[in-house]
Amino acid sequence: MVTSVMQQLASKSLAIVIWLTLLSCLLITSTAFGQQKPISIEASNMQPSVVLGRPILTWWDVKIPGAGLLTGKLRFQVHSEGYQFASLETEVLTLNGPEQRIRVLLPAIDSPQPVDRLLVDISFEGDKYSGDLGQQILRVPFAMKCVFNILVGESRIARKRTPEREKLMERLKFESLVPMPVNSSGQVEEPDGVQTIFASVDPVDFPAEPISYCNYDLVLLMREEFRHLRKAQLEGLLAWVRAGGSLYLEPNGVLEPYHLQFLQDLIRDDSKGLVFLPDSTGKIPQDTVPPDQVAVSLKSGLGNVVIRTEDPERPFTLSIEDWRKIASPLWKWRSEPYHQPPVMEHVVGVDGQPIQVMRPNPDPWNFSLGMLNRHPLHTFELLDRLLPDGVRMVPLPLLALILTTFIMIIGPGDYYVLGWLKARKFTWLTFPVTTLAVTVLTVLISNSYMSTSEARRALVVHDIGPRNDIVRTNRFELLFVASTHQVTTEVEKGLLTPLKTNSSMNDIAGIPPGFVYTSINGQMTLVPSGGGMGGSVTAERLTSQFQGRIPTQSSTVQNLSKWTPQINRIMSLSQLATAPEVDWSQFDLKKSDAVRILAHEVPGELLARVHETFGKDALVACFTGHGGWASDRAPGWRSTRESDAPAQRQFYSMQASGYDDYNQRIQMINEADLFRWMYYATVAPVQRGAFSLVKQTAPKGGAYCDDLALMDCTDPDEWILVVIVPHQDEYVTYRKLMRFQESSINRE
């Protein structure tokens, strides 16, 4: 009996031990499996170089163990050394195992200080797994230089570059076209402070969205890469070129009908006599471009194109100077490049006495500014014009009624009513309840009135191309809220970039937060405000949260503070807006009219024609070369609050050196705020790094807005007509680049 009981206890104990062992193994296995990430991600080896101030095109290799599907959203948080830039949450993605390559366009990043890398924290949120995927690094090469990015179409399975191809790419670099100065010793000085980077991408991977090309200044399609592009890719590339991009093209190989249509659309604005007729094999004949020209430069919208149809392996017969004349339009070269003046040095003469000598400027193009090449387009003039004139306050009679009612309730009402009920001891309860109720009512009424002051007002700038169509649109939208909360902005086929709207002196001067100017070795240098160059600065700011797919369909969530204005720039290269049916040739001007613009007067005939076409409320401005500007002096140019900041206007005008001489800057101070902003957004400066050589840059969409400039102020034959049409809470602006009908202006 005892033996059987012991056997039963032993068997039960063994079963319990076995059960506990299996349970422990199951828990350990499930824990280990739970810690294992079913997805990993890293930057692809085809990741192009990152250039700040532009949308960042990124490629990611996603690995999923097995061959299953994983559905969810990827989240990217971009920061650098404690400075938060932006976060992006993609739309719901379906990822296929075991490996997949995805492309993500991150928003434009503008750093207040030079950074050589961006840190990207990546996480995943899905139905089967949610968690952190680690941190990736995106390198930012040549952070202290003015960087140009060139996209080169090269197949991954193509043969090695030929010597002629290498030579052509070398000649297309920006710095190879820069006129090199000669020092006092007769030696050629290599240009410093500027760098061109090439990014090789397989034509199959070319984007179809025009904004994706905004990461580049120039696109190169040589040999047969052109024929590998699909129709959607060509449409996106064409929209980018017509919005201000540059394209070097060798249309070799057998072409499809949509390739020929692309070529026809490309040269429609300026054909230069070119006719693309394929031969019996479907190829473009080599003599399409006359052999004596090698290549032809032409305009396409706001952009430039160079086309070459001869044998790409044929050696160049042109000199560097002749080739520069062909290729320089790709970089929108000025008609009169600006040279920094010579510098005066003190040296010891032969007699041992100090003498002064003039030396050539060691940096004639001002490239040494580095990051400061990108002089920001400030927003305080735009703020003055877009901010509402005032807020809707609670009417005084209503406040008096609330106060009178409150006094009647806590006074006679409380005394007589509680006395009639013989419950005056409850005064200590009714008084705080009444006070609380009246306070809540007052707050609700106040919010009801003042919430109407929440504003979305915008200045929309449409750039009109040679075909009188809209080639690009920039919308500067003001968000002004009456209470602190999150605001969502929906964007379709566009790129949103938040602009700084702090009107402090540091912001006006373009000084980033946490930095000051100090003298180092006799030169003004930007350093951290905490001390020396080695100090670390933490400059946090409110991060914009992007959701969806940029630029197809996305939304931006921003944390806005009460009564703190925020301006967002939304750039679109797609024709979302319809151009007005206007014959712009009716606004052509002659040489004699240009003299009146130089005297700051809009020709009366032009003003009458604009008002007849766009309405009496339309605002009219004209900009010409050599410091000419004029407006119709209508009251709509000036806001009611502009007179509150004369010191800011004068300070900014002194900072905006390079646009014109001192006297002209002083005159610009007295112009209206909206007119000043439009002038600085349209006319490129001449003493600011690369702008001393070029009049325009490719579309970028960044916060500095230096890609808005359209006009070469050194070209006396060029002028711009600006028409602003007020429409409800928007100012719809049309900018049209024009040329005078007759020859150059004779200026005394």
Side-chain angles (χ1 to χ4, degrees):
M1 182 69 179
V2 175
T3 304
S4 62
V5 171
M6 294 295 294
Q7 290 178 348
Q8 291 179 2
L9 291 175
S11 61
K12 290 182 178 179
S13 300
L14 181 62
I16 293 174
V17 170
I18 294 175
W19 181 80
L20 291 175
T21 303
L22 292 176
L23 180 61
S24 300
C25 293
L26 180 62
L27 290 175
I28 294 173
T29 303
S30 62
T31 303
F33 180 78
Q35 293 177 348
Q36 181 181 3
K37 298 178 181 179
I39 179 177
S40 62
I41 187 171
E42 61 181 8
S44 173
N45 56 6
M46 62 178 295
Q47 172 62 41
S49 300
V50 174
V51 180
L52 297 181
R54 300 168 177 267
I56 302 175
L57 186 62
T58 60
W59 293 86
W60 305 94
D61 291 331
V62 182
K63 296 181 181 180
I64 304 173
L69 298 177
L70 195 62
T71 302
K73 299 179 180 180
L74 285 169
R75 183 179 179 86
F76 301 85
Q77 291 185 336
V78 186
H79 60 96
S80 178
E81 306 299 336
Y83 195 91
Q84 301 292 330
F85 291 116
S87 66
L88 170 66
E89 183 181 273
T90 66
E91 73 276 21
V92 177
L93 304 175
T94 300
L95 304 175
N96 301 319
E99 186 172 348
Q100 183 177 350
R101 176 169 292 170
I102 62 174
R103 181 177 65 197
V104 178
L105 187 66
L106 299 178
I109 300 289
D110 284 280
S111 173
Q113 54 182 314
V115 294
D116 58 0
R117 64 177 183 173
L118 296 177
L119 305 179
V120 184
D121 296 331
I122 308 176
S123 58
F124 183 79
E125 181 180 352
D127 50 355
K128 298 180 180 179
Y129 170 79
S130 296
D132 180 42
L133 300 182
Q135 185 179 92
Q136 296 292 317
I137 298 177
L138 299 179
R139 298 294 178 182
V140 183
F142 309 106
M144 291 297 295
K145 293 187 176 183
C146 181
V147 178
F148 295 98
N149 213 7
I150 297 181
L151 173 60
V152 184
E154 289 186 304
S155 175
R156 289 189 291 268
I157 60 175
R159 59 179 179 174
K160 188 179 179 180
R161 292 177 185 171
T162 64
E164 285 302 317
R165 186 167 187 160
E166 291 280 3
K167 184 178 180 180
L168 174 63
M169 293 174 59
E170 188 68 24
R171 287 193 175 184
L172 286 174
K173 293 170 62 176
F174 181 88
E175 55 267 33
S176 67
L177 299 177
V178 174
M180 301 181 186
V182 179
N183 58 24
S184 57
S185 303
Q187 298 178 345
V188 176
E189 297 282 353
E190 294 292 335
D192 194 15
V194 61
Q195 189 72 38
T196 301
I197 302 175
F198 290 97
S200 297
V201 177
D202 194 302
V204 178
D205 297 320
F206 268 45
E209 307 91 356
I211 288 182
S212 297
Y213 291 95
C214 292
N215 189 37
Y216 308 99
D217 296 276
L218 174 62
V219 174
L220 269 60
L221 289 172
M222 298 177 286
R223 298 183 63 85
E224 297 185 355
E225 283 83 359
F226 173 60
R227 71 181 183 89
H228 293 301
L229 294 181
R230 300 183 297 274
K231 183 177 181 181
Q233 294 171 313
L234 292 175
E235 291 175 350
L237 179 60
L238 177 64
W240 173 75
V241 170
R242 301 199 73 246
S246 294
L247 172 66
Y248 176 87
L249 178 62
E250 295 175 357
N252 304 126
V254 180
L255 304 182
E256 298 291 339
Y258 57 83
H259 291 101
L260 297 175
Q261 183 62 45
F262 170 81
L263 293 174
Q264 298 296 341
D265 293 337
L266 196 66
I267 67 173
R268 186 174 299 176
D269 300 333
D270 181 20
S271 66
K272 293 287 181 64
L274 294 183
V275 178
F276 291 103
L277 294 176
D279 57 20
S280 58
T281 63
K283 298 181 179 180
I284 300 297
Q286 294 185 10
D287 59 354
T288 299
V289 173
D292 59 336
Q293 297 185 27
V294 180
V296 61
S297 300
L298 45 85
K299 293 283 296 182
S300 182
L302 300 179
N304 294 77
V305 182
V306 170
I307 298 179
R308 180 187 178 204
T309 58
E310 69 171 1
D311 184 3
E313 300 302 328
R314 181 182 301 172
F316 281 114
T317 58
L318 292 179
S319 64
I320 296 179
E321 290 74 16
D322 292 335
W323 176 253
R324 183 178 294 156
K325 295 179 181 178
I326 296 176
S328 58
L330 292 175
W331 298 103
K332 290 91 171 178
W333 227 248
R334 285 189 182 276
S335 59
E336 299 175 12
Y338 176 84
H339 293 257
Q340 291 289 336
V343 295
M344 182 177 298
E345 295 183 357
H346 295 273
V347 299
V348 179
V350 293
D351 56 354
Q353 297 297 322
I355 60 174
Q356 294 180 347
V357 296
M358 300 297 293
R359 303 289 191 190
N361 197 301
D363 185 19
W365 314 116
N366 221 0
F367 285 138
S368 60
L369 288 175
M371 280 288 290
L372 298 182
N373 276 333
R374 301 178 300 153
H375 191 62
L377 178 65
H378 304 289
T379 57
F380 70 89
E381 293 117 332
L382 203 56
L383 271 177
D384 285 343
R385 199 64 195 88
L386 293 181
L387 279 173
D389 293 333
V391 296
R392 187 186 176 198
M393 305 299 294
V394 181
L396 187 60
L398 182 57
L399 291 177
L401 177 62
I402 295 175
L403 179 60
T404 302
T405 304
F406 175 66
I407 294 175
M408 293 299 295
I409 292 176
I410 65 174
D414 184 82
Y415 181 82
Y416 289 110
V417 172
L418 291 181
W420 178 67
L421 296 175
K422 299 181 179 181
R424 286 178 178 168
K425 62 181 179 180
F426 292 105
T427 300
W428 298 106
L429 176 63
T430 58
F431 178 77
V433 170
T434 303
T435 303
L436 179 62
V438 172
T439 302
V440 171
L441 177 63
T442 304
V443 171
L444 292 177
I445 293 176
S446 175
N447 288 338
S448 175
Y449 273 85
M450 300 186 72
S451 63
T452 59
S453 299
E454 297 187 7
R456 275 186 183 265
R457 310 180 72 179
L459 173 71
V460 184
V461 181
H462 297 301
D463 292 321
I464 307 297
R467 305 179 205 170
N468 297 336
D469 58 340
I470 297 175
V471 294
R472 69 177 180 184
T473 297
N474 282 277
R475 178 183 178 88
F476 296 89
E477 185 175 58
L478 169 72
L479 303 180
F480 191 65
V481 297
S483 60
T484 300
H485 64 278
Q486 289 186 337
V487 177
T488 301
T489 303
E490 300 290 339
V491 179
E492 180 181 359
K493 295 183 179 180
L495 176 70
L496 186 146
T497 303
L499 305 184
K500 289 179 58 179
T501 53
N502 180 12
S503 60
S504 66
M505 285 299 181
N506 271 8
D507 181 62
I508 296 171
I511 302 176
F515 283 76
V516 295
Y517 274 114
T518 187
S519 178
I520 298 180
N521 297 327
Q523 294 185 351
M524 296 304 293
T525 306
L526 203 63
V527 300
S529 58
M533 294 295 291
S536 61
V537 176
T538 301
E540 297 284 351
R541 68 175 178 181
L542 294 178
T543 303
S544 298
Q545 303 174 11
F546 297 84
Q547 300 174 352
R549 182 181 179 184
I550 301 175
T552 306
Q553 185 73 44
S554 64
S555 61
T556 304
V557 180
Q558 296 172 289
N559 298 315
L560 300 185
S561 301
K562 179 179 180 179
W563 306 131
T564 301
Q566 171 64 45
I567 291 183
N568 296 326
R569 176 190 180 185
I570 304 176
M571 184 183 71
S572 175
L573 307 185
S574 302
Q575 294 186 358
L576 300 180
T578 302
E581 297 182 359
V582 174
D583 179 15
W584 292 89
S585 62
Q586 65 176 317
F587 306 127
D588 286 337
L589 294 180
K590 297 181 180 180
K591 176 174 58 178
S592 58
D593 297 319
V595 176
R596 299 165 67 181
I597 297 177
L598 289 172
H600 311 314
E601 177 187 353
V602 176
E605 300 81 0
L606 172 65
L607 186 61
R609 289 193 294 267
V610 171
H611 285 167
E612 182 180 354
T613 304
F614 292 96
K616 294 294 184 181
D617 294 334
L619 309 177
V620 185
C622 301
F623 304 132
T624 68
H626 298 286
W629 71 78
S631 74
D632 57 359
R633 308 292 178 180
W637 286 104
R638 191 178 298 274
S639 65
T640 57
R641 66 183 52 80
E642 182 190 3
S643 58
D644 297 335
Q648 290 184 355
R649 298 201 307 270
Q650 183 174 4
F651 185 83
Y652 173 68
S653 296
M654 297 302 295
Q655 291 289 326
S657 60
Y659 289 93
D660 33 48
D661 61 31
Y662 177 80
N663 292 330
Q664 290 170 342
R665 292 201 304 272
I666 294 300
Q667 294 177 17
M668 185 60 69
I669 295 176
N670 299 320
E671 297 292 337
D673 47 4
L674 182 57
F675 178 81
R676 288 197 314 273
W677 186 91
M678 189 61 63
Y679 176 78
Y680 293 127
T682 303
V683 181
V686 296
Q687 297 179 2
R688 186 59 62 168
F691 275 119
S692 61
L693 290 166
V694 305
K695 61 181 179 180
Q696 179 188 344
T697 61
K700 299 177 183 178
Y704 281 82
C705 302
D706 54 348
D707 55 331
L708 289 179
L710 286 181
M711 198 188 75
D712 179 6
C713 60
T714 66
D715 185 356
D717 292 330
E718 193 171 79
W719 71 285
I720 282 186
L721 172 63
V722 177
V723 178
I724 302 180
V725 183
H727 180 69
Q728 295 180 354
D729 289 334
E730 293 186 353
Y731 295 89
V732 181
T733 305
Y734 301 101
R735 299 193 304 179
K736 174 70 172 177
L737 186 63
M738 315 278 280
R739 296 194 70 83
F740 293 107
Q741 292 181 332
E742 300 181 21
S743 59
S744 300
I745 307 171
N746 296 322
R747 302 179 71 250
E748 296 296 335

